[in-house]
Amino acid sequence: MPPQHAVNATPQAVELQCDGARCQMPAGVSQKTVGTIFLYHNKTDRAQVLRIEGLEAGLLWQMVQTSMPEAAALSNTGMAAGGGGIRSGSAPVSAPLTIESLDAEKDIAKGWYVSGSAGQTTTFKMASHPLPGGGQVYVWAGGNAEFERNFKAYFKRAQRLAELFANSIYPLEAALLGEHWGALDQSEAAAEFLPSAHRDVHIVAVPLEKGTAGYVNIYDRRHGDTARGNRAHAIFMQLDFFAPRAADPRAGEDTLDSYQSAVAVLAHEFSHLIFQYQKIIKPWQLGEAVHNNVRKREVWESEMFAEAASYLVSSELFSGSIASGQRVNPYLLADGEIENGLDYRDSGCRFDQWRERSCYNKASALGALMVHQYGAGVLKSWLDSKLFGEKALAEAIGLHGGDGYLDLKEQFAGLALLAGKKIQTPERYAFRQREILVPAGEYVSAERRYALPKIELANFKSMLIPLADHKEQDIATKGFISSASNIVTIPPHAMLSFTYSPAR
């Protein structure tokens, strides 16, 4: 006979009440309600060994332990000067600079130093478009025989890409997050970097190293006698992303859907330019002090910020699903970044070990959850914080009604537990609907409003959690069979979440 569980009860988030080391399952709450999550937060500086009593014996449970190694690692690792792109890792310093300053209005060809390449890669100016608030976006492309054979097709797509950047990516991110360049109050900054009036953005589409979709490099933005940059606000993008990449195979060669991947990459990389200026260059004195602060910036902080910003932009341009006939947000595709980010193999990917293993799927899903829960303003508060790392994020979340970064990670862990279950998701663990307001101003002539739609967890694949510990992960998963009394050890400043898992 199949196991009985409370399918009609409303799932909820329930905190365990403990007296010392003894915790009792709460009375009046069904343990068999699919989707109800029981949680406990160890707020002390020491590990706690808890005895959880009152669990019905013989039930299968899925448990997640959420910790925050980012805090301990903050003083040991840092962000390289380059800002990586989707699936990219950080870009190494460019090759030595020997070219003269760029005059994009006159130049029709341009050599760029590209990460991983020896010497310059020759590109041709394919398109330009005015940017709101001043400046231009230029699209340059070149670097292989495929480009030369299909020059006309690349030229047409470059025109559309310039328009999408100037009309959507640039104004949305500038209005919601802040400008990518501007006044440099410190005299050292003015001497070291491009003039504050230099606002042009250059999209450079060339063949990049395998596995790299795009990157930016902070040294490209220096204008002095340097051997480290291209003297431009440059976004490097894999040339392959010029090719149509529609989620819907019925889409034509030049439909908006065919630009999904390119838009996601450009939105991600442009937010790195904003992050570099607002969070690294503008606030600190230059010289060795700034380079120390650059190293303090962890890879995960910049990358999660960029993934969340790209998700916001993609949500304005693409929405719905193929089945509905609407344009598809590339982050919400089946087997896409957000769905894969909920898999236990990716949900436990440790941000503090990003250099050994990148965590883009987790950063996408966690960043999307954050803006669904707290709105786009949390990104601006994160950027404006005088703190960095998990402290800056905790401060920003607190300003928007949340309870800090660890609490956000526990919400994310709950998502992984509930993925694929056909239930009414508790609000704490929901990709809830969220209206995004883009105010009229310098970058947007008229107010824009759009919605982040509620994402049903039932539409994701169910993430089966193995009956084994994954202690090396910061969201460590385990399945267990309950007895009348269960003992669990919780590390300092960690959270425990568990939910009933009926047999299938």
Side-chain angles (χ1 to χ4, degrees):
M1 183 174 180
Q4 301 297 311
H5 51 273
V7 295
N8 296 321
T10 301
Q12 55 187 306
V14 181
E15 290 194 34
L16 293 180
Q17 299 300 315
C18 301
D19 182 8
R22 181 175 175 272
C23 301
Q24 183 73 32
M25 291 295 289
V29 178
S30 171
Q31 295 183 25
K32 294 184 181 179
T33 298
V34 177
T36 286
I37 291 182
F38 300 92
L39 61 152
Y40 176 80
H41 185 183
N42 178 6
K43 299 181 180 181
T44 72
D45 294 324
R46 64 185 187 281
Q48 290 184 332
V49 179
L50 298 182
R51 181 183 298 274
I52 303 175
E53 299 178 348
L55 280 169
E56 184 176 335
L59 299 184
L60 173 63
W61 296 80
Q62 292 181 335
M63 176 183 290
V64 177
Q65 182 177 279
T66 305
S67 58
M68 195 165 61
E70 295 95 322
L74 197 57
S75 61
N76 300 321
T77 63
M79 187 181 83
I86 298 175
R87 306 273 191 281
S88 74
S90 298
V93 172
S94 302
L97 175 69
T98 58
I99 60 174
E100 298 301 320
S101 60
L102 172 63
D103 188 344
E105 284 297 326
K106 296 179 181 178
D107 294 342
I108 60 173
K110 164 89 170 83
W112 297 87
Y113 286 107
V114 180
S115 173
S117 299
Q120 294 182 348
T121 298
T122 299
T123 64
F124 298 91
K125 185 168 65 178
M126 309 292 286
S128 64
H129 197 288
L131 294 173
Q136 296 271 331
V137 58
Y138 296 94
V139 181
W140 307 81
N144 63 16
E146 174 68 18
F147 168 78
E148 296 173 4
R149 285 193 299 268
N150 295 286
F151 183 86
K152 289 185 178 179
Y154 279 99
F155 184 83
K156 181 179 179 181
R157 291 184 67 80
Q159 301 288 322
R160 187 76 184 278
L161 201 60
E163 293 173 2
L164 286 170
F165 184 84
N167 295 331
S168 293
I169 298 172
Y170 183 91
L172 282 177
E173 292 201 17
L176 291 173
L177 307 177
E179 57 190 358
H180 73 290
W181 205 239
L184 297 175
D185 297 332
Q186 307 296 344
S187 59
E188 291 91 342
E192 186 83 7
F193 285 92
L194 293 168
S196 59
H198 190 108
R199 304 180 65 83
D200 296 345
V201 177
H202 299 268
I203 299 170
V204 185
V206 291
L208 299 177
E209 293 178 309
K210 184 178 180 181
T212 299
Y215 75 89
V216 301
N217 192 324
I218 196 170
Y219 293 109
D220 283 337
R221 312 179 81 176
R222 296 169 66 183
H223 75 80
D225 182 16
T226 173
R228 293 190 173 191
N230 284 302
R231 297 179 185 172
H233 305 302
I235 296 172
F236 288 88
M237 185 176 75
Q238 185 70 260
L239 181 62
D240 182 49
F241 280 86
F242 259 37
R245 284 171 170 250
D248 187 344
R250 299 168 296 181
E253 287 292 297
D254 201 46
T255 62
L256 180 60
D257 276 346
S258 71
Y259 292 86
Q260 289 170 329
S261 296
V263 165
V265 170
L266 288 179
H268 175 107
E269 300 303 338
F270 180 61
S271 71
H272 277 314
L273 294 183
I274 295 174
F275 188 93
Q276 286 175 355
Y277 171 63
Q278 299 282 348
K279 198 74 175 169
I280 299 173
I281 298 171
K282 188 169 69 169
W284 279 276
Q285 295 281 347
L286 286 210
E288 187 61 29
V290 156
H291 296 300
N292 285 338
N293 279 315
V294 168
R295 284 193 287 270
K296 286 180 182 177
R297 292 299 175 281
E298 292 201 74
V299 175
W300 72 265
E301 183 180 8
S302 177
E303 296 299 344
M304 181 174 155
F305 178 86
E307 286 291 88
S310 180
Y311 176 74
L312 276 177
V313 172
S314 297
S315 298
E316 199 255 357
L317 282 172
F318 309 100
S319 61
S321 64
I322 294 174
S324 68
Q326 295 177 294
R327 295 187 293 272
V328 182
N329 185 334
Y331 284 91
L332 296 176
L333 298 176
D335 203 35
E337 283 90 344
I338 290 180
E339 182 174 62
N340 285 330
L342 296 176
D343 187 285
Y344 77 91
R345 287 159 292 195
D346 276 343
S347 65
C349 186
R350 286 180 53 166
F351 283 169
D352 64 312
Q353 297 177 357
W354 192 293
R355 293 182 185 280
E356 287 73 41
R357 176 197 174 192
S358 61
C359 302
Y360 285 104
N361 288 336
K362 178 177 179 176
S364 296
L366 188 58
L369 172 64
M370 181 173 65
V371 295
H372 274 270
Q373 285 278 340
Y374 305 117
V378 71
L379 294 179
K380 186 68 168 68
S381 298
W382 183 6
L383 203 60
D384 291 342
S385 174
K386 302 302 182 185
L387 304 173
F388 49 87
E390 97 290 343
K391 293 181 180 178
L393 191 48
E395 179 183 79
I397 291 171
L399 291 173
H400 293 268
D403 196 27
Y405 177 49
L406 178 62
D407 192 64
L408 174 70
K409 289 181 70 174
E410 192 283 326
Q411 291 175 280
F412 175 71
L415 283 177
L417 287 174
L418 301 180
K421 293 181 169 60
K422 301 186 184 304
I423 59 170
Q424 178 182 331
T425 308
E427 280 295 293
R428 175 175 173 79
Y429 302 106
F431 284 107
R432 63 180 70 173
Q433 182 170 322
R434 172 72 63 176
E435 183 180 67
I436 304 299
L437 169 64
V438 186
E442 180 181 5
Y443 304 106
V444 178
S445 58
E447 180 184 285
R448 295 190 196 181
R449 291 178 182 267
Y450 66 97
L452 302 180
K454 182 177 181 180
I455 303 172
E456 297 295 341
L457 290 181
N459 294 333
F460 291 119
K461 60 188 176 186
S462 182
M463 304 302 173
L464 299 178
I465 296 180
L467 293 170
D469 281 309
H470 288 262
K471 295 180 180 178
E472 75 281 2
Q473 297 179 325
D474 64 339
I475 295 179
T477 57
K478 183 180 180 181
F480 72 99
I481 306 296
S482 57
S483 60
S485 181
N486 302 265
I487 296 177
V488 60
T489 301
I490 308 176
H493 303 288
M495 297 187 74
L496 179 73
S497 317
F498 56 98
T499 188
Y500 168 60
S501 181
R504 302 182 181 214

